[in-house]
Amino acid sequence: MAHCPKTSTPAPNPAAPGRLGGRFLLVLLIALLVAPSAWSRENLQQVIKRRGLEQKDVLAAAKTYVPTGKRDEFIAFSSGGQSGMVIVYGIPSMRILKYIAVFNPEPWQGYGFEEESKAVLDQGRIDGRDITWGDTHHPAISETDGDYDGEFLFINDKANPRLAVIDLKDFETKQIVVNPIFQNEHGGAFVSENTEYVIEAAQLAAPLGGAYAPLERFNEDYRGGVTYWKFDREKGRLVPEESFSLELPPYGQDLSDFGKLASSGWSFTNSFCSERYVGGIERGRPPFEAGCSAKDTDYLHVINWKKAAQVAAAGKVEKINGHPVIMMDTAIKEGLVFLIPEPKSPHGIDVTPDGEYMVISGKLDSHTYVFSWEKIQKAIRDKNFADKDPYGLPIIGLETVLETQVPLGLGPLHTQFDAVDGVAYTSLYVDSMVARWNYRTGKLLDRLPIHYNIGHLMTMHGDTVKPRGKYLVSLNKLAIDRFNPVGPLHPQNHQLVDIAGDKMELLYDMALPLGEPHYAVAIEARLLKPIVRYKSGTNTRTGERSPYKTRAGEEKTVRNGKKVEVFGTLIRSHITPEIIEVEEGDEVIIHLTNLERAEDQTHGFTISKYNVNASFEPGKTATVKFVADTPGVFPYYCTEFCSALHLEMEGYLLVKPTGYKAKVGELMPKEEYSQADYEKQVATNVATQKVIDGVVAFITSHNYKDYPEVVALVEDATDQLGRAAEPKKKAEEQAAAGNWHSATLWAGQWWQYQVKAADIGLRAKTYLEQHGATESK
Ligand code: CUK
Ligand code: CUA
């Protein structure tokens, strides 16, 4: 079917297309019948031997293999590091399902090419500059009552302090916000228990709001901070007007986490350079890394965000760049921020599922520390402070709140939790290991070597109130020798670990060749409910009906001075209009609507040499815009292999040179089809209809209504076949008038709709056969 003849030459086709499809089906059926016996020539033992596998390999394969047509139990969202994207994959298969474009243009999704998505990227402009990349670190799934609800995903950009909102209804980026006061950030995105706020903590201190100050004034003028972005779940957007920040000392704030259950209403942010050291070897000073790890401890910031929100709402703020900031004096007066010494140069701060403990690891300390929330609260209540920092913030003594201190190994970083109460997993960067331990008993339970240099790790729902256990993914920084070499730049390695048993078991290595993922989150697949199509004419980036929505039959081209605006449609296998004629220098705006309702019937659109590209999922309306400043002939076509006649989904943009005059006698090629051509085509169509009737008979006699997938296919096929009526009528009219050329072409168009219907019908038939539908006569 891929080699069906072109629209303009239907007559010379020797074989009826339906019969061709039928033959394909026959061949397929025979292949399916024969194949198992071919495979069974080698048994499992022989394969194990031939491939040099061990029993544990086969077991690992059986634990991770998801047979064709079956689905994964969990879906992971991984940051894509420098790619600026989010990577979506299934667990346990580790099959990559999608790259979601967030901070950078991405052609497949049309992101940054269509006007609608350009508008999203434009929200991320900084100081009038396009920022076409991001360093994504921490994805966060929206939560309800402290557990993932599967509605939204947030991701931060560490390099250019930004947050993005992805709607999990369609896995598309809907919003980017720029932090109004920071110069960079790291401790985002983390969400509160009911996604009231998304937190973003600064990292490298700088004057708030972007002003200049010399490094000599670091202690006085440089500041850190945290921003609480208000989230409006109804609208699915962050609300800058209702968001606020807290000014913090220039301590290099790092990761954050929200409290939950017992510690509800509070948030925690650690820091890694409370020395406030400023390097500068060019000024003869020891480097940052030496000065920033001189002291034994840094500070955990304990913040009462619920109260802070009230203080901000009461207007006790300073406006910086129009954004409300609670200054440190106010924070001290209102009792909003408390510091606790923590092991030096820590990385992760992770609140236990019950919210009772805060787990902190210092990269340069082999212990992981567990702070007790009860003890922290008591110290705050009793005003039991050991000291004040140079800015007057109260410091609670480490010993006052320390519950336990567990030696896990070298370079502990991040912690996640198990479904089993008390059990936690901590990544050991220097040891390249995962430690399994119990934060209640302080006992180390197991250690598993990984390859190599683990950063974050992730368990299923591992940072929620209800971790699911089962699997752990180790997000490794280095792959070194694990995969086939691909040059000096290596992929990253996500290793899947089975944590269901007494001993952790390594199951699978997945190469991730898209930036350096930092954190990932995994949700039960059943909690995600993405749509398969948009309401017809949707601007997918706003979720609203596009004013440019175009219905079948309402396509038009409107000229207004030097502006040419096209309102077109896409449907298998046709772009309307097929010809766009403009003058050199015209501004061309093309709005297209994908009229399809069928699942996965995406069309793409490109015009050669004009950097025009877009993606149209079923129901989507989008716009491309350019100035036709180069005269010439520019083919356009659909970029998705959407049907048997996909190659014919094409057209021409004609850009007439200024002052071009048509020559006398310029005509379309001479018309040439005869009555014989027409009759041959009609015979083909009649034969095709027989095949369709046969397929329909099969489907309707096989309780197809029990299969929603087939019902959708049948609807789609019926729709396609319904479209054949009009060209059929036209063909017959033209034939009656003796216009054989035109009659042949219309008969060809009639046949095309039959071919599409047959194609879909056969897919439905195959589906029924493969799913064991029985005859219901
Ligand atoms: S970070 Cu990179 S491994 Cu940005 Cu959470 Cu720890
Ligand atoms: Cu539409 Cu190819």
Side-chain angles (χ1 to χ4, degrees), residues 571-573 602-604 638-643 646-647 649:
I571 194 157
R572 279 156 292 165
S573 327
T602 295
H603 301 288
C638 166
T639 58
E640 291 265 345
F641 204 113
C642 51
S643 68
H646 146 79
L647 285 180
M649 202 164 168

Side-chain angles (χ1 to χ4, degrees), residues 32 35 82 190 228 253 264 278 286 289 294 379 381 433 438 451 460 512 590 608 642 657 681 721 745 749 766 770 773:
L32 284 171
Q82 304 91 330
F190 300 91
Y228 296 87
Q253 279 77 24
S264 188
V278 180
E289 60 198 275
R381 257 196 327 264
M433 282 187 159
N438 189 309
H451 313 278
M460 309 300 99
L512 263 191
I590 303 173
S608 66
C642 51
Q681 180 62 49
L721 197 58
L745 290 182
Q749 183 62 34
T766 307
Q770 289 179 350

Side-chain angles (χ1 to χ4, degrees), residues 412-608:
L413 297 182
H414 300 287
T415 298
Q416 291 263 294
F417 302 95
D418 200 323
V420 180
D421 180 66
V423 174
Y425 300 85
T426 297
S427 52
L428 305 174
Y429 177 83
V430 177
D431 272 342
S432 285
M433 282 187 159
V434 173
R436 174 195 260 174
W437 58 289
N438 189 309
Y439 60 84
R440 293 195 194 282
T441 63
K443 280 221 178 69
L444 176 64
L445 305 171
D446 188 19
R447 299 212 299 172
L448 177 79
I450 56 83
H451 313 278
Y452 303 92
N453 293 86
I454 178 173
H456 276 269
L457 39 58
M458 155 184 79
T459 54
M460 309 300 99
H461 289 239
D463 58 8
T464 71
V465 298
K466 211 179 150 221
R468 308 295 203 264
K470 293 194 178 183
Y471 302 104
L472 178 149
V473 175
S474 164
L475 284 72
N476 304 336
K477 299 293 170 196
L478 304 176
I480 308 184
D481 56 359
R482 308 307 290 179
F483 305 112
N484 298 59
V486 289
L489 183 62
H490 290 231
Q492 299 273 313
N493 185 4
H494 282 198
Q495 290 191 299
L496 182 69
V497 177
D498 180 351
I499 56 169
D502 290 345
K503 283 289 208 186
M504 292 184 279
E505 275 172 41
L506 189 57
L507 295 178
Y508 191 76
D509 285 16
M510 173 173 66
L512 263 191
L514 195 81
E516 184 206 321
H518 289 257
Y519 186 38
V521 282
I523 180 172
E524 276 187 68
R526 66 176 183 90
L527 296 175
L528 294 169
K529 304 219 162 51
I531 56 171
V532 299
R533 66 180 70 81
Y534 294 104
K535 277 204 192 105
S536 185
T538 301
N539 171 342
T540 67
R541 300 292 164 173
T542 62
E544 280 154 23
R545 159 107 3 129
S546 170
Y548 312 117
K549 169 187 169 164
T550 305
R551 285 198 182 81
E554 291 177 355
E555 299 91 348
K556 63 183 178 191
T557 299
V558 183
R559 174 178 281 282
N560 193 342
K562 289 293 281 172
K563 189 164 103 179
V564 178
E565 206 164 355
V566 176
F567 298 81
T569 60
L570 302 161
I571 194 157
R572 279 156 292 165
S573 327
H574 199 78
I575 303 169
T576 308
E578 297 194 314
I579 302 165
I580 301 173
E581 281 183 279
V582 304
E583 308 279 338
E584 179 180 350
D586 280 348
E587 184 190 10
V588 184
I589 304 169
I590 303 173
H591 312 289
L592 294 172
T593 299
N594 182 349
L595 300 174
E596 305 280 0
R597 305 304 300 144
E599 181 164 10
D600 205 11
Q601 279 299 340
T602 295
H603 301 288
F605 179 76
T606 181
I607 302 178
S608 66

Side-chain angles (χ1 to χ4, degrees), residues 79-87 99-100 491-492 511-517:
S79 75
Q82 304 91 330
S83 74
M85 302 208 228
V86 165
I87 306 162
Y99 297 129
I100 306 173
Q492 299 273 313
L512 263 191
L514 195 81
E516 184 206 321

